[in-house]
Amino acid sequence: MATYTKGPVAARRILALMLLAGTAGTAQAQDVSIGVIGPMTGPAANTGTAHREGMELAVKEWNEGAGDYVSDEPPQVELVVEDSNSKPEVAIGAAQRLMTRSDVDMIIGDTLHSHVTLALMEMAPQYGVPILSAEPVSSAIADKVLSDPERYALYYKGNYNSDGYGKAVHGFYSWAFENDVVPEGDKTIAFVVEDTDYGIANAEKIGELFEADGWTVAATETTPTGTTDFYPQLSKLRGLDPDILVSVFTLANSGISFVRQLDEQALEASHMAIFYPTRPEFMEQAPDIADGMFWAALQFSPEITPEHQAFNDRIEAEFGVSANYSHAHAYCTMVVALRAIDAAGGTDADAIASEIGGTDYDCLVGKYAFGEDNTVQSGPDFIPVPVAQVQGDASQIIWPENVATAEPQ
Amino acid sequence: MTAPLFLEMAINGLISGSIYALVGSGIALVYGTTRVLNFAHGELLMIAGYLVLFFAVTLGWNVLLASVVTLALVGSIGAAIQRITIAPLLAREDWAFRVIAATIGLSIFLQSGAQIVWGEQFRTLPYFFDGVVSLGGLRMPVQRLSILVIALLLMGLCALVLYRTSLGRIVRATAQDAEAALAVGIPAGLVHTSVFAISAVLAGAGAILLSPILTVNPWMGVSFLLKGFAVVILGGLGSFGGAVAAGFLLGLIEAASVMVLPTEWRDVVAFTFLIAVIWVRPNGLFAGREA
Amino acid sequence: MTEILGRRPALSFLICVGLFLLTLVLPLNDYVLHILTLSLIFAIFASGWNLTLGILGLKTLGHHAFFAIGAYLSAIAAFYGGVSPWLTIWVGAVLAALAGLLIGLPILRIRSMPHVAIVTLAFAEIVRLIFSNLKDITRGELGFWGIPPFDPVSFGETTIRFGLGNAWGSFILVGLFFFAVQGGLLLLLRSRPGLTFAAIRDSEAAAESLGINFGAWKLAAFALSAGIVGLSGAIYAHYVMILTPTSVAGPEMLITLLAIIIVGGAGRFFGPLYGALLLTGSLELLREFGDYRMLLYGALVIGFVFVAPQGIAGLKFDRLRRRRGHGTNESSSSA
Amino acid sequence: MLRLEGIDVHYGATQVLWSVDMRVAEGEIVAIMGPNGSGKSTVLKAAMGLKAPSGGRVLLDGREMQDASATERPRHGMAIVLERRRLFPRMSVHENIVLGAYARPARETKGSLEWVLGLLPDLREHLDATAGKLSGGQQQMVAIARGLMARPRVLLMDEPFLGLSPAMVKTVSAIMRTINGEGVAILFNEQDAKLSFALSHRGYLLESGRVILSGSGQEMLDHPEVKRVYLGVREEAAR
């Protein structure tokens, strides 16, 4: 007998442990509890940590009386952070844990990944909990909402769609051709993007807009996240000789290597970089090789925006790190959530959701307002997606003209 | 395609091929002498990358000094891994699989350990050499060319050690007949440990050469390990020379693939080539020329 | 064979079924059920892999490729073809088995362990990249969403629903699949073919002299193993309802499953169940450790390889045998 | 000077040697004769430390060798020529021979090589050849040369005549006598009783892992049991 009962006994013990873990409730000292799901471990943990810091700052200010309140009696808020490890199934486990163990009233997540959000948004109708995603941009999320608005009534997307960049890049170049900032050439465009929904969606959108103007997409090269050797791709592109080259990476290092190798290879194309110059490390290491480069979108710049500098100081005082765009975006997302809960005057899911939908609030990166697809809107009146140029050792906004801080060089 | 572009493609292929050859020949050397497949071999690259970053960037040492110290340390780490995790398993039954399982565990352990110690910051070393060689339409930075040259020199040096020194002689003897080597008094343990050290140094050299153009991160070893394994199988298991040749071949195939297809198909082409070769020539392309 | 099945496997099997039924009456919350459901899916995966890895003695490292093939192809058939997942999971399983035949042929010809390990690993990488690159069909790393859950089943008044969020239905369904697969394997292993597998593992030469046709047997076993793993992938797809190439065919899947098998006991029939429950369960408990989770994972694998190479399922068994004074002569050759 | 006392050897659960006693005196040639699977090779491997005995002692000049691993025994004056030569096939003859001196101080290597080539002059012209490409007989000479490079006082030879042509058997026997003439004791095994005992000063008959008979070469040849079973069977088979 003793030979085989071992396993079942072990199994039973695990079960008992899990039951314990499952029922050990958290004491509720706060009025409202918000769960956050983001990549706290794994390759994207840096960004996940920035998100956590931004949100913690927002909640801290809120609880200490320094928030931008809607009502006279704002609720005290408790924050519970869970890890998604950049994986959908892990995020779903985290959501279930937040619902059953921490009994949260609202979930913010995923803070970074579109593919995780696509899975996570299913939890909103399932558990009747409002879910607001933070940085994900993929238009697929908005499409999913539009495909069944009733089902996803509790879900909101806290960042604009991936076509935000597309429109900005296309709009900038149309302006640049007209004003002879960039020559039009024989109308070919090429992409080197990282192999994520982020990179690919941007390449597709920009490609579509240019093709409508009679341009040809010469090549779309997707490289694994973290790639830093672009020689094979650049050699190939030199042969294709495009007029515009668009690169999209999320990691600063990919961007630095790309820009440096582009310089070595001396391609003649006009280079437009997307997202990665936002990273502080990029500007630390790249200025001399990146001089004159165009990039989108300069949304967080303590150097030229006093309000951003003030936010940076608060983050630095709290966590000892300098703030980046992810801090700012997460902070704003959390403030949007806090104000919605405050306005709803309770924890009723439908009330919170409808307050999120009615948001009209100016935060660090622009004005937050949601469209019919439950998605934050982009554009000059909402969250602007400006194009910047590296000039000397700083970046200046050169487009749109109404917000430009410098002329293109 | 113009001639300079074609040449550039070939050089790109040879450059990545030289790293595959460095990694693969180390794996081949270890397998040839000890019949051990070390799945933590990629992590030696990663550790070397972080060490050289630490010495050259954090402490600001001269790159050459930093590299030499790094190689010495990585060699000792390789030897320690062999002593602590692999040698004790060799005497046990079913050891071949257990070594695989243990080294896979070790690889995860080292990756997450590196992530905890150094964070997941993706970092790069400054260039060792400045300047770009420009010949006709061909442009190639000195830094990249130096990878090829230094890798070739290192593998030449390694071959010299293998074929011209008494250490090399006892390593080859153990590879060719372990029991006979034991019978003439060659201590197998010493040979196994030194082979691990040599292969760790080769991997470490690869990491140092790459660190200015690739990011140093906790997972950097994974893709090189797979490529290294592919190279070892293509070259004929355990053959040092075969692995070197197969490394360059694989690099060229990849470079050609990028020229013709979008980048994301590169590894599919590389691994399909491996499986196709195994169908036709199970013993690899350069079989029968072991260490 | 006792060494693989333990003594009185049928009784062990019934105890497991009993425990499963017991969990059904416990007041478990959705989160615990989600974890148990994932454990059981991984246990099916591990049982399938265990067939080649432990019982057949072929050290393959690419079975997550079959998991991905089963998952994606069943999801594609259900999503684009509008076919019920009750049918498409079998499509996924059969296609995974066919892929097993494809890759089984060259590696069975070679047999050398490094070849088997490396070639199967490379195969898994190819499969991952193909699903990742065929973005028009799978949406690549963005994630293949919109996969339908299993159609609901009605018994008179009550309707049981499946898929994420329907924790009860999903747990019962996956439990049924698990016991069907385990029961089937148990019957198979105690029949003539099962004894043949054991013979192949214990002594290739001896089995050959008995006139057993190796190639065909091994290939059949390999395909069966791939098919079971494919089935587990298909069930996973219709449970989680979103797939990304990295999460189903990435290196972490390999490591998770390898750890389950090593900790549970490679080549032990009940090993996968113990391993899956222990690892999936305890690692959830260790969530608080965040970054240290994978570190512990690695250490656990190394520790088991050194201290208890037969896994949990082998623990008592060995001790008992030693007490009786039998020498250990288990486990197979290593190439 | 070499003594085996009560050696037991197990392979897994199976015992293959049962309390084997043997000795080799200074300057002796000793043969171990026995049928296939009687444990002859195992005796030599146990003596050399390549197979750890589960019981008994190995003594060299009265010193216990149990603690000396296989790699240390050459330092104490033992060397072995393994069954089927076991050369390093992709190395040159010269490299093979020199590796035999691994356990000796490097300064002796040159002298030892001259001594060995003096005993086996035919090898001189093959020094640069690849060992694996030589004929079986030539390989056996290389293997013997390699063993001698350790300057052993007792040389163990495992099936030295296996697979050799009759002419080569004669040559190798002659070499063994020459070596013995240089003061090296030899312990070898061989299935052929006539060959074994004609060449040796003394011999042992091993059956199923036990020594069942011992004596001088001539005594062994004359023993009725050996005559009936081994010589008799051979003669019948030869007819």
Side-chain angles (χ1 to χ4, degrees):
Chain A
M1 280 301 281
T3 53
Y4 58 81
T5 47
K6 175 86 181 174
V9 168
R12 210 178 301 143
R13 228 172 262 154
I14 297 158
L15 209 63
L17 272 172
M18 289 172 85
L19 280 173
L20 267 177
T23 49
T26 359
Q28 297 285 314
Q30 314 291 341
D31 306 331
V32 176
S33 139
I34 300 179
V36 170
I37 299 172
M40 301 304 152
T41 62
N46 273 350
T47 311
T49 307
H51 288 146
R52 201 190 63 223
E53 289 166 350
M55 293 192 183
E56 278 176 358
L57 180 69
V59 170
K60 184 168 184 266
E61 289 177 355
W62 182 271
N63 285 341
E64 288 174 354
D68 195 357
Y69 308 109
V70 181
S71 73
D72 298 334
E73 282 180 51
Q76 284 288 297
V77 173
E78 179 201 35
L79 195 62
V80 189
V81 181
E82 288 276 0
D83 177 26
S84 71
N85 196 235
S86 302
K87 292 195 201 81
E89 72 277 15
V90 177
I92 281 157
Q96 287 171 330
R97 204 166 35 253
L98 285 173
M99 292 309 298
T100 53
R101 265 173 73 184
S102 311
D103 200 22
V104 298
D105 302 298
M106 176 176 179
I107 291 176
I108 298 184
D110 187 81
T111 62
L112 181 65
H113 296 293
S114 295
H115 68 275
V116 177
T117 304
L118 281 167
L120 206 50
M121 62 197 284
E122 295 295 333
M123 298 286 101
Q126 213 76 257
Y127 288 105
V129 61
I131 296 183
L132 172 63
S133 60
E135 229 182 298
V137 292
S138 173
S139 305
I141 301 171
D143 293 346
K144 198 173 172 185
V145 172
L146 288 176
S147 72
D148 193 348
E150 213 170 299
R151 180 173 167 81
Y152 299 108
L154 293 179
Y155 169 78
Y156 284 88
K157 177 165 172 245
N159 204 355
Y160 47 76
N161 282 334
S162 26
D163 60 7
Y165 282 118
K167 286 176 188 160
V169 170
H170 180 253
F172 163 72
Y173 272 112
S174 304
W175 172 83
F177 297 143
E178 263 170 39
N179 294 281
D180 290 328
V181 176
V182 178
E184 208 165 358
D186 50 8
K187 296 194 171 185
T188 50
I189 184 167
F191 300 91
V192 178
V193 302
E194 71 176 21
D195 191 5
T196 57
D197 54 283
Y198 188 75
I200 292 157
N202 274 307
E204 272 176 7
K205 188 71 205 175
I206 298 169
E208 261 171 42
L209 291 168
F210 274 86
E211 273 173 338
D213 289 353
W215 283 61
T216 324
V217 175
T220 304
E221 300 294 323
T222 55
T223 57
T225 309
T227 299
T228 41
D229 178 12
F230 297 98
Y231 262 76
Q233 291 81 12
L234 288 172
S235 289
K236 179 179 181 177
L237 290 179
R238 244 181 52 223
L240 296 171
D241 193 23
D243 301 296
I244 298 178
L245 174 59
V246 179
S247 62
V248 189
F249 308 108
T250 47
L251 296 170
N253 262 88
S254 295
I256 295 165
S257 309
F258 185 80
V259 172
R260 181 193 286 157
Q261 289 163 24
L262 195 61
D263 182 51
E264 290 163 1
Q265 286 269 0
L267 257 74
E268 281 161 16
S270 163
H271 177 216
M272 168 67 72
I274 292 189
F275 186 76
Y276 58 86
T278 326
R279 301 265 173 218
E281 310 96 277
F282 180 83
M283 281 313 289
E284 278 164 30
Q285 298 188 40
D288 42 328
I289 44 173
D291 196 25
M293 178 184 88
F294 301 122
W295 65 278
L298 181 58
Q299 292 177 298
F300 185 76
S301 49
E303 304 83 18
I304 51 180
T305 316
E307 199 191 351
H308 292 178
Q309 184 59 48
F311 175 73
N312 182 54
D313 294 344
R314 267 140 68 207
I315 286 283
E316 230 166 45
E318 190 69 28
F319 303 103
V321 295
S322 12
N324 59 37
Y325 171 72
S326 291
H327 284 102
H329 189 277
Y331 177 85
C332 290
T333 307
M334 179 55 84
V335 172
V336 166
L338 291 169
R339 286 175 55 85
I341 292 170
D342 190 10
T347 56
D348 178 65
D350 293 323
I352 295 176
S354 88
E355 289 299 337
I356 295 176
T359 299
D360 184 3
Y361 182 67
D362 259 315
C363 193
L364 292 163
V365 293
K367 191 169 86 169
Y368 278 76
F370 292 85
E372 274 179 9
D373 51 1
N374 290 10
T375 297
V376 161
Q377 289 169 285
S378 66
D381 301 332
F382 300 99
I383 295 187
V385 186
V387 171
Q389 185 178 34
V390 179
Q391 298 182 351
D393 53 3
S395 287
Q396 300 290 343
I397 294 176
I398 53 164
W399 181 90
E401 278 173 300
N402 58 340
V403 293
T405 57
E407 291 275 308
Q409 289 175 352
Chain B
M1 198 189 305
T2 60
L5 269 178
F6 185 80
L7 197 61
E8 201 171 293
M9 179 204 86
I11 294 174
N12 282 330
L14 290 176
I15 289 170
S16 33
S18 65
I19 303 295
Y20 298 157
L22 274 179
V23 177
S25 59
I27 297 174
L29 194 60
V30 166
Y31 185 82
T33 14
T34 69
R35 305 289 144 196
V36 160
L37 274 191
N38 177 16
F39 276 72
H41 192 74
E43 277 56 52
L44 293 169
L45 247 93
M46 181 266 289
I47 291 172
Y50 276 109
L51 286 176
V52 78
L53 262 181
F54 176 73
F55 293 129
V57 177
T58 314
L59 300 186
W61 290 4
N62 164 293
V63 171
L64 191 64
L65 176 68
S67 304
V68 170
V69 174
T70 299
L71 289 182
L73 281 174
V74 167
S76 338
I77 292 170
I81 287 175
Q82 195 274 337
R83 276 281 133 130
I84 296 166
T85 56
I86 293 170
L89 289 175
L90 291 182
R92 312 220 196 151
E93 46 183 289
D94 202 13
W95 61 267
F97 181 64
R98 284 206 210 164
V99 166
I100 288 183
T103 51
I104 289 180
L106 183 65
S107 145
I108 299 305
F109 184 85
L110 292 175
Q111 280 173 32
S112 36
Q115 195 190 337
I116 290 164
V117 176
W118 291 294
E120 52 288 305
Q121 191 90 38
F122 287 63
R123 293 158 70 186
T124 306
L125 216 64
Y127 274 21
F128 305 152
F129 307 100
D130 289 327
V132 175
V133 176
S134 185
L135 260 179
L138 179 121
R139 286 179 68 85
M140 206 38 84
V142 179
Q143 174 68 33
R144 293 180 68 83
L145 289 173
S146 72
I147 292 179
L148 186 57
V149 174
I150 296 175
L152 278 173
L153 284 176
L154 278 171
M155 283 181 288
L157 189 70
C158 192
L160 212 62
V161 169
L162 267 183
Y163 290 96
R164 289 285 178 269
T165 66
S166 54
L167 175 69
R169 199 183 287 147
I170 67 173
V171 166
R172 281 184 297 139
T174 308
Q176 290 176 19
D177 192 328
E179 196 187 25
L182 203 64
V184 298
I186 296 172
L190 175 75
V191 171
H192 289 184
T193 308
S194 34
V195 164
F196 258 80
I198 295 174
S199 92
V201 166
L202 285 173
I208 294 172
L209 290 174
L210 283 176
S211 55
I213 58 164
L214 286 195
T215 47
V216 175
N217 65 68
W219 305 276
M220 68 184 284
V222 178
S223 61
F224 286 103
L225 180 78
L226 255 179
K227 292 285 164 63
F229 278 157
V231 158
V232 169
I233 295 272
L234 285 174
L237 257 181
S239 156
F240 183 83
V244 172
F248 284 112
L249 179 66
L250 196 68
L252 285 175
I253 288 174
E254 288 191 7
S257 141
V258 171
M259 275 288 147
V260 187
L261 295 169
T263 311
E264 65 259 38
W265 293 99
R266 176 177 58 190
D267 287 1
V268 176
V269 170
F271 292 127
T272 306
F273 175 71
L274 168 71
I275 292 182
V277 167
I278 293 305
W279 268 88
V280 185
R281 288 184 63 106
N283 294 321
L285 293 170
F286 315 98
R289 296 221 240 115
E290 285 176 46
Chain C
M1 210 69 219
T2 14
E3 168 200 323
I4 293 169
L5 292 173
R7 295 182 310 144
R8 308 174 74 177
L11 190 59
S12 308
F13 181 74
L14 288 177
I15 289 178
C16 291
V17 174
L19 275 171
F20 174 69
L21 293 174
L22 184 69
T23 53
L24 291 182
V25 297
L26 291 174
L28 298 176
N29 65 37
D30 283 9
Y31 166 58
V32 174
L33 286 172
H34 171 68
I35 299 306
L36 286 175
T37 306
L38 280 181
S39 302
L40 285 180
I41 293 176
F42 287 146
I44 300 176
F45 183 153
S47 306
W49 189 12
N50 206 15
L51 198 61
T52 32
L53 190 67
I55 295 171
L56 202 59
L58 257 185
K59 314 301 187 194
T60 65
L61 291 178
H63 268 59
H64 46 311
F66 304 126
F67 187 81
I69 290 173
Y72 265 101
L73 295 183
S74 175
I76 286 169
F79 182 81
Y80 291 105
V83 186
S84 161
W86 292 107
L87 298 175
T88 59
I89 54 167
W90 306 108
V91 175
V94 168
L95 290 172
L98 288 178
L101 286 180
L102 180 78
I103 194 65
L105 272 172
I107 65 166
L108 286 168
R109 244 176 351 132
I110 306 162
R111 274 200 248 163
S112 119
M113 201 180 70
H115 278 87
V116 172
I118 293 169
V119 170
T120 51
L121 205 55
F123 174 68
E125 191 63 4
I126 293 177
V127 168
R128 181 183 73 80
L129 287 168
I130 287 179
F131 284 130
S132 170
N133 292 348
L134 293 177
K135 296 193 175 65
D136 291 340
I137 302 171
T138 63
R139 299 194 190 96
E141 282 300 334
L142 174 55
F144 187 13
W145 54 269
I147 303 168
F150 287 98
D151 303 316
V153 178
S154 299
F155 297 99
E157 298 282 293
T158 48
T159 302
I160 304 180
R161 294 180 186 283
F162 309 103
L164 265 190
N166 297 301
W168 268 111
S170 305
F171 179 57
I172 293 169
L173 181 70
V174 171
L176 289 178
F177 272 115
F178 174 75
F179 287 110
V181 167
Q182 290 292 94
L185 279 177
L186 194 58
L187 287 179
L188 181 74
L189 287 174
R190 303 183 82 186
S191 66
R192 255 191 89 80
L195 297 173
T196 311
F197 289 159
I200 290 174
R201 191 182 89 132
D202 289 345
S203 167
E204 301 222 339
E208 210 148 20
S209 70
L210 292 173
I212 294 165
N213 182 356
F214 255 8
W217 271 116
K218 280 194 155 183
L219 206 56
F222 197 76
L224 177 65
S225 150
I228 292 173
V229 173
L231 180 68
S232 71
I235 296 170
Y236 174 89
H238 297 288
Y239 170 61
V240 176
M241 288 150 65
I242 180 163
L243 298 173
T244 60
T246 305
S247 65
V248 293
E252 250 184 66
M253 188 57 118
L254 162 69
I255 284 139
T256 310
L257 266 293
L258 187 70
I260 285 176
I261 288 208
I262 299 273
V263 169
R268 306 300 175 127
F269 185 72
F270 291 100
L273 178 62
Y274 304 157
L277 283 175
L278 182 76
L279 277 186
T280 326
S282 62
L283 285 177
E284 279 301 319
L285 292 180
L286 293 174
R287 282 194 76 85
E288 323 299 327
F289 290 90
D291 282 344
Y292 293 88
R293 221 162 60 215
M294 289 314 281
L295 195 74
L296 287 169
Y297 229 117
L300 207 60
V301 172
I302 301 175
F304 264 86
V305 168
F306 273 88
V307 180
Q310 310 299 328
I312 305 175
L315 277 181
K316 277 240 162 153
F317 194 70
D318 274 4
R319 206 171 304 150
L320 195 77
R321 280 207 329 184
R322 218 167 291 142
R323 207 163 49 223
R324 285 188 183 164
H326 288 293
T328 36
N329 58 339
E330 49 197 82
S331 255
S332 58
S333 56
S334 37
Chain D
M1 60 181 192
L2 178 68
R3 289 177 69 94
L4 307 183
E5 288 182 359
I7 297 289
D8 291 325
V9 170
H10 286 83
Y11 280 106
T14 336
Q15 186 160 4
V16 291
L17 288 185
W18 309 73
S19 191
V20 168
D21 292 319
M22 281 188 193
R23 62 185 176 83
V24 180
E26 206 82 42
E28 251 188 336
I29 301 183
V30 177
I32 308 171
M33 209 283 288
N36 241 342
S38 57
K40 303 186 300 287
S41 286
T42 308
V43 173
L44 294 176
K45 286 191 173 167
M48 192 64 198
L50 293 170
K51 173 73 199 166
S54 40
R57 307 194 293 169
V58 178
L59 299 158
L60 189 68
D61 298 329
R63 272 173 57 194
E64 291 213 21
M65 285 281 118
Q66 270 85 315
D67 294 335
S69 67
T71 53
E72 285 171 42
R73 290 188 199 194
R75 274 178 247 288
H76 297 285
M78 292 175 77
I80 188 167
V81 177
L82 292 167
E83 188 180 337
R84 298 189 182 277
R85 276 76 77 181
R86 299 291 287 274
L87 299 181
F88 305 117
R90 288 177 301 280
M91 294 170 87
S92 71
V93 169
H94 180 261
E95 282 182 300
N96 263 281
I97 297 178
V98 169
L99 273 167
Y102 181 82
R104 309 293 302 181
R107 63 190 142 77
E108 288 178 12
T109 306
K110 221 174 162 199
S112 302
L113 187 62
E114 281 313 308
W115 176 65
V116 166
L117 291 177
L119 292 174
L120 297 158
D122 292 352
L123 284 179
R124 241 178 238 283
E125 54 180 301
H126 296 299
L127 281 178
D128 292 327
T130 304
K133 298 209 168 122
L134 297 179
S135 72
Q138 287 167 326
Q139 289 196 15
Q140 186 60 278
M141 305 238 215
V142 178
I144 294 171
R146 188 174 72 185
L148 289 175
M149 286 298 284
R151 302 306 284 260
R153 284 179 300 131
V154 51
L155 182 65
L156 312 177
M157 299 177 80
D158 196 355
E159 305 265 10
F161 304 111
L162 194 72
L164 298 187
S165 66
M168 218 49 229
V169 169
K170 269 192 192 147
T171 315
V172 172
S173 310
I175 291 169
M176 287 166 70
R177 287 206 184 86
T178 317
I179 296 167
N180 187 240
E182 295 274 318
V184 179
I186 295 176
L187 176 65
F188 75 101
N189 62 13
E190 168 55 41
Q191 274 190 53
D192 184 326
K194 229 176 183 167
L195 185 57
S196 301
F197 300 132
L199 182 61
S200 57
H201 301 115
R202 283 190 312 107
Y204 293 91
L205 177 58
L206 207 63
E207 261 185 28
S208 311
R210 290 183 171 86
V211 175
I212 58 163
L213 207 63
S214 66
S216 75
Q218 198 53 48
E219 278 169 23
M220 295 295 284
L221 277 175
D222 293 344
H223 196 278
E225 174 77 7
V226 174
K227 265 193 160 144
R228 189 175 59 80
V229 181
Y230 296 95
L231 298 172
V233 166
R234 258 193 82 80
E235 274 161 11
E236 263 165 44
R239 218 172 282 142

